[in-house]
Amino acid sequence: MLSIQEHATLDEASSDLLDFILEPSNWLSVAQLDPAAWPGQNAVYQRRVGTLRVCASVDVGATLDVYLHVAFRAPGLTPVKAADHLEGFLKQRMPLTPNSEWQVEVDERRWIHFSRRYAAPHLKA
């Protein structure tokens, strides 16, 4: 069983987890990522606020595309409520703007995943 850090508020969890994942040394290479090493299986990429679990990472793809990935899980959580949590989770560092595009997915373990490009496409020579 994972030993996940607990916080009293989503703001506290956000501050702690975003400080960790936005550090480039903690970015994850998706091409080399073993499915067992998905951040959902790694407690350092997760925080808990009551029954809500938050998992976040910055993922670097094989083509050097960089994505921010945030996922939530809780009993009875819906995608709409998870989107509200996403807004609260990001508001201190990167407030959501109108028409910002996020990919949303619900997996078989009932995690609700949000992802979007974090950095502009890399330069080509």
Side-chain angles (χ1 to χ4, degrees):
M1 180 128 183
L2 297 176
S3 177
I4 300 170
Q5 289 183 3
E6 287 203 37
H7 294 277
T9 67
L10 191 58
D11 286 341
E12 288 177 15
S14 169
S15 178
D16 184 40
L17 189 52
L18 285 173
D19 284 347
F20 175 75
I21 68 160
L22 294 178
E23 181 67 37
S25 62
N26 296 319
W27 292 10
L28 300 172
S29 171
V30 176
Q32 298 175 350
L33 193 61
D34 176 3
W38 177 72
Q41 305 301 324
N42 189 337
V44 298
Y45 290 92
Q46 293 187 49
R47 300 297 181 269
R48 182 185 300 271
V49 180
T51 60
L52 178 69
R53 283 176 56 185
V54 182
C55 179
S57 64
V58 176
D59 305 329
V60 181
T63 58
L64 300 182
D65 293 328
V66 180
Y67 287 88
L68 174 63
H69 183 124
V70 182
F72 299 94
R73 182 177 174 188
L77 186 64
T78 65
V80 172
K81 185 62 179 165
D84 291 340
H85 289 312
L86 178 68
E87 182 176 18
F89 183 76
L90 296 175
K91 75 179 176 185
Q92 296 297 325
R93 283 280 180 92
M94 50 186 84
L96 295 182
T97 58
N99 299 322
S100 61
E101 294 184 22
W102 288 81
Q103 294 180 348
V104 182
E105 177 185 341
V106 180
D107 72 14
E108 67 278 353
R109 293 172 294 184
R110 298 174 51 171
W111 280 94
I112 301 172
H113 301 265
F114 296 90
S115 62
R116 72 170 296 198
R117 186 178 294 278
Y118 179 65
H122 63 283
L123 296 175
K124 295 181 182 177

